[in-house]
Amino acid sequence: MHESSLGGTLRDYLSGEEIDETTFEEFRQALVRLLVEEKGYPKEQIKAKVPLKYHVDGEEFERPLDYVVYDEKGSPIFIIIFCAGNVGTFERETVCAGRLVEGGPVPYALATDTMEASLLDVKSGEVVARSMAAVPDWEKLLEMVGKADMKLLTEEQRERQTRVFHTYCGFIYGTCCSESCSLPPKSK
């Protein structure tokens, strides 16, 4: 199933602004509400639909990341990708995004459909835990991040990760079912 407009609007939990109501937006809103109200994440340190811009063979592409969580210094520490479908099939893409996010790499990432979740160690690419109970609370996330030993990617590593990420994006947004799917347009 693909995300499509439902023709209405709803109030965005983070910004308070009216946004398009889509087939998946209510799930994203429930997810960010869980992070803030149950897991203690500071609302002002979460950004929605953060563009991950990248280049392949001289062409620029962009994939929005559903949520990026930042520390007090403004550095990204955690990304969350909402997925419709088997969460396990989004793990590799999510790890790549965590390695490529601007200001990253981040130590941890989450792939979730809001019913199931995979908490991922971005450095190793391994699944740390599965289930929505695996979503760390704010204090636990900060503790995990504090112990992480992240290093910037070399140009060669970045190039490889970008190609893998683009392959996943191309499948999801381009070749999965029909011409109705396409990569999101670049921001203007």
Side-chain angles (χ1 to χ4, degrees), residues 7 14 24 39 56 67 71-72 76-78 88 95 98-99 113 124 126 133 143 150 154 157 161 170-171 173-174 185:
L14 291 176
F24 303 137
K39 299 291 184 173
V56 174
Y67 294 107
D71 64 15
E72 289 183 359
I77 58 172
F78 190 48
V95 166
R99 292 173 179 164
D113 64 0
S124 70
E126 299 294 320
E143 178 184 318
M150 299 304 292
T154 66
Q157 291 169 324
Q161 288 300 304
F171 174 73
Y173 289 109

Side-chain angles (χ1 to χ4, degrees), residues 15 169 177:
S15 70
C169 290
C177 65

Side-chain angles (χ1 to χ4, degrees), residues 81-103:
I81 291 185
F82 172 81
C83 52
N86 183 317
V87 173
T89 62
F90 288 83
E91 291 171 355
R92 180 77 174 136
E93 174 189 8
T94 303
V95 166
C96 287
R99 292 173 179 164
L100 296 171
V101 65
E102 186 176 336

Side-chain angles (χ1 to χ4, degrees), residues 33-49:
R33 184 173 278 115
L34 168 94
L35 293 175
V36 173
E37 295 178 7
E38 294 183 34
K39 299 291 184 173
Y41 287 55
K43 194 184 223 185
E44 63 279 357
Q45 288 176 235
I46 305 170
K47 292 187 181 161
K49 297 180 179 148

Side-chain angles (χ1 to χ4, degrees), residues 123-141:
K123 184 175 182 178
S124 70
E126 299 294 320
V127 176
V128 174
R130 291 194 200 302
S131 85
M132 287 305 290
V135 179
D137 66 27
W138 179 245
E139 294 303 321
K140 178 67 175 173
L141 177 65

Side-chain angles (χ1 to χ4, degrees), residues 10-155:
L10 53 84
R11 186 158 312 280
D12 181 64
Y13 181 81
L14 291 176
S15 70
E17 297 175 6
E18 291 291 316
I19 59 173
D20 288 337
E21 182 181 15
T22 68
T23 47
F24 303 137
E25 193 58 45
E26 284 191 43
F27 296 106
R28 286 188 192 96
Q29 295 298 314
L31 179 61
V32 76
R33 184 173 278 115
L34 168 94
L35 293 175
V36 173
E37 295 178 7
E38 294 183 34
K39 299 291 184 173
Y41 287 55
K43 194 184 223 185
E44 63 279 357
Q45 288 176 235
I46 305 170
K47 292 187 181 161
K49 297 180 179 148
V50 175
L52 191 151
K53 296 178 184 182
Y54 62 95
H55 293 85
V56 174
D57 297 332
E59 283 189 70
E60 184 177 85
F61 297 92
E62 183 177 295
R63 161 77 155 83
L65 303 178
D66 294 295
Y67 294 107
V68 178
V69 179
Y70 297 85
D71 64 15
E72 289 183 359
K73 297 176 195 167
S75 298
I77 58 172
F78 190 48
I79 67 159
I80 300 168
I81 291 185
F82 172 81
C83 52
N86 183 317
V87 173
T89 62
F90 288 83
E91 291 171 355
R92 180 77 174 136
E93 174 189 8
T94 303
V95 166
C96 287
R99 292 173 179 164
L100 296 171
V101 65
E102 186 176 336
V106 297
Y108 293 94
L110 187 78
T112 184
D113 64 0
T114 70
M115 299 296 286
E116 296 296 325
S118 293
L119 179 62
L120 303 155
D121 178 317
V122 171
K123 184 175 182 178
S124 70
E126 299 294 320
V127 176
V128 174
R130 291 194 200 302
S131 85
M132 287 305 290
V135 179
D137 66 27
W138 179 245
E139 294 303 321
K140 178 67 175 173
L141 177 65
L142 291 179
E143 178 184 318
M144 292 164 46
V145 167
K147 293 178 182 176
D149 180 29
M150 299 304 292
K151 293 180 175 53
L152 294 176
L153 299 179
T154 66
E155 281 305 312

